[in-house]
Amino acid sequence: MSLHDLHMARRTLLASGLAVTAVGAVGIPASAAQRATAAPSISTTSDWEARDPSSSVDVLDSKPNKIIVHHTATPNSDDTSQSHAFALCRSIQNYHMDSNGWLDTGQNFTNSRGGHLMEGRHKSLNALEGGSQHVLGAHAGEQNSVALGIENEGTYTEASVPSALWNALVELCSYMISQYGIDASAIYGHRDYMSTACPGDVLYQRLPELRTEVALATAQSEPVTPAVWPLLTPEARGPRVTAAQLLLRSHGGRVPVNGVFDVDTRRAAQVFLDAHRPHRVECSATRTPERDLFGGTAWTSLAPVLSERATGDAVRAAQAVLTSRGHHASGEDGFGARTVDAVRRFQARQGLPTTGVVDHPTWQRLLG
Ligand SMILES: [Zn+2]
């Protein structure tokens, strides 16, 4: 649904006299609408009877710049009660403290399938209400210091997202964005940063819609879809897998170049992830490690910045994806004039600076 469609839907709702919780309604100036974005009802850690943290929670004197959406990878419960939601929070906290050895719940906030919003890590709600501080969580590796983490109850690899959960997620994200002045485009999925399936294909594919609804609720202009790295899943096929295989070889990995994310390639990808520790963090709520995926910012370690006169398998990787995107560059031995030309033409088509250098934004679009 486009922003315009949402505006029309909202106008219809208003005309019919139904309550509209999200602000940003037609006719309200943007600045007034942003100030007016209502705080949703969020239960505190004492409401759900959290344990005390095992050591002091870090409260940073800086604002977060993005929101990262997760799913808990727990069962898709039909129990929409608040007591069930509170029990979920206690269960996650126990798991994070006792199994992971963390000082408290990893994520900043939790959202249940019944749409009950709850504080996750202690002090997160206070920080959000103040709008100038951020509680350091444990949910997305290197992003923790700048990213708010929301765990959404359930597993959304195939199941659809309950409307109560969705509406609460829109409300919470809208409030976060208006409190901290974050751009609605800066709502991401966990997989955009780490090698994880989180928040599941179904919820992940709804992130553009989430950005649009939040932009509407906070009177922002239509958000853009951010450039992100692809996630390779078992038996995935195609040029991006061929590129990954050549890149793994350039790092010494012993893998075939057959364009299939097969068992040998997955093993080599895990060796690479294990050697690059910041990328090797499990989803904060997932019970079982996901050791057969490759994605997120691990690509930034795998794919080097390439320019003219570079040689080797990394150059072959870039040439393979360029060729697959219709900019023929294969067959040239090393990064020569033909490859520079292909990179420039690709960059021009993508609206990128035409440097002829395969930098990370160029890699993202080549692999996307
Ligand atoms: Zn996650």
Side-chain angles (χ1 to χ4, degrees):
M1 189 182 271
S2 74
L3 192 59
H4 175 261
D5 292 339
L6 274 164
H7 267 299
M8 295 313 289
R10 194 77 71 188
R11 194 193 293 268
T12 307
L13 267 176
L14 285 168
S16 66
L18 294 172
V20 178
T21 49
V23 189
V26 183
I28 299 176
S31 57
Q34 285 209 299
R35 277 200 304 277
T37 299
S41 171
I42 303 173
S43 300
T44 65
T45 43
S46 24
D47 289 336
W48 56 266
E49 298 175 334
R51 292 155 62 181
D52 288 337
S54 62
S55 60
S56 65
V57 167
D58 279 327
V59 182
L60 309 177
D61 281 321
S62 54
K63 297 180 184 186
N65 61 20
K66 64 176 67 68
I67 296 170
I68 296 184
V69 173
H70 303 260
H71 70 171
T72 57
T74 54
N76 291 325
S77 171
D78 291 327
D79 189 344
T80 57
S81 69
Q82 188 181 63
S83 58
H84 167 80
F86 284 5
L88 171 75
C89 279
R90 290 191 294 271
S91 155
I92 291 175
Q93 189 192 29
N94 287 337
Y95 177 68
H96 287 177
M97 292 179 72
D98 302 335
S99 298
N100 292 2
W102 297 347
L103 61 95
D104 193 4
T105 299
Q107 73 273 14
N108 299 98
F109 293 91
T110 310
N111 182 17
S112 80
R113 285 171 58 83
H116 298 283
L117 293 171
M118 296 154 290
E119 183 178 33
R121 182 158 291 201
H122 284 79
K123 302 187 179 180
S124 293
L125 183 54
N126 210 12
L128 174 60
E129 287 169 347
S132 63
Q133 293 181 311
H134 172 59
V135 167
L136 181 70
H139 63 96
E142 292 177 316
Q143 292 295 315
N144 289 328
S145 62
V146 290
L148 289 152
I150 305 172
E151 283 284 354
N152 294 280
E153 180 190 12
T155 302
Y156 300 104
T157 46
E158 289 170 3
S160 59
V161 179
S163 56
L165 181 144
W166 178 262
N167 293 338
L169 181 60
V170 172
E171 279 193 43
L172 178 58
C173 289
S174 302
Y175 183 55
M176 288 171 164
I177 282 204
S178 67
Q179 286 297 94
Y180 288 119
I182 299 171
D183 193 308
S185 304
I187 299 176
Y188 293 90
H190 191 186
R191 71 172 63 174
D192 292 332
Y193 292 96
M194 318 290 288
S195 295
T196 173
C198 179
D201 287 353
V202 176
L203 182 51
Y204 185 75
Q205 281 158 16
R206 292 191 67 182
L207 292 184
E209 186 186 342
L210 179 61
R211 295 182 193 107
T212 298
E213 287 204 31
V214 168
L216 176 68
T218 56
Q220 291 189 7
S221 53
E222 182 124 30
V224 297
T225 298
V228 293
W229 298 100
L231 178 70
L232 301 184
T233 55
E235 303 308 310
R237 287 165 186 271
R240 66 174 64 154
V241 180
T242 304
Q245 290 173 325
L246 286 162
L247 290 167
L248 286 165
R249 284 163 80 108
S250 77
H251 287 272
R254 297 162 65 90
V255 287
V257 184
N258 58 11
V260 184
F261 198 50
D262 57 15
V263 66
D264 290 336
T265 310
R266 298 202 292 275
R267 194 175 295 127
Q270 289 309 317
V271 169
F272 180 85
L273 286 170
D274 287 339
H276 293 77
R277 294 303 302 174
H279 304 310
R280 182 65 272 166
V281 179
E282 318 304 347
C283 180
S284 60
T286 300
R287 272 20 181 203
T288 50
E290 300 171 284
R291 293 195 59 83
D292 50 5
L293 304 171
F294 186 88
T297 50
W299 283 101
T300 62
S301 299
L302 184 68
V305 174
L306 297 169
S307 52
E308 195 166 7
R309 289 192 287 281
T311 56
D313 281 329
V315 173
R316 289 182 196 101
Q319 290 168 333
V321 274
L322 277 164
T323 300
S324 77
R325 305 294 296 259
H327 300 277
H328 190 67
S330 293
E332 186 173 62
D333 190 21
F335 200 128
R338 189 198 299 170
T339 304
V340 172
D341 184 54
V343 173
R344 286 211 170 106
R345 281 185 284 115
F346 176 77
Q347 288 171 325
R349 187 171 294 182
Q350 295 287 319
L352 293 166
T354 53
T355 57
V357 173
V358 184
D359 53 11
H360 284 148
T362 303
W363 272 117
Q364 277 184 316
R365 284 164 181 81
L366 281 169
L367 296 163

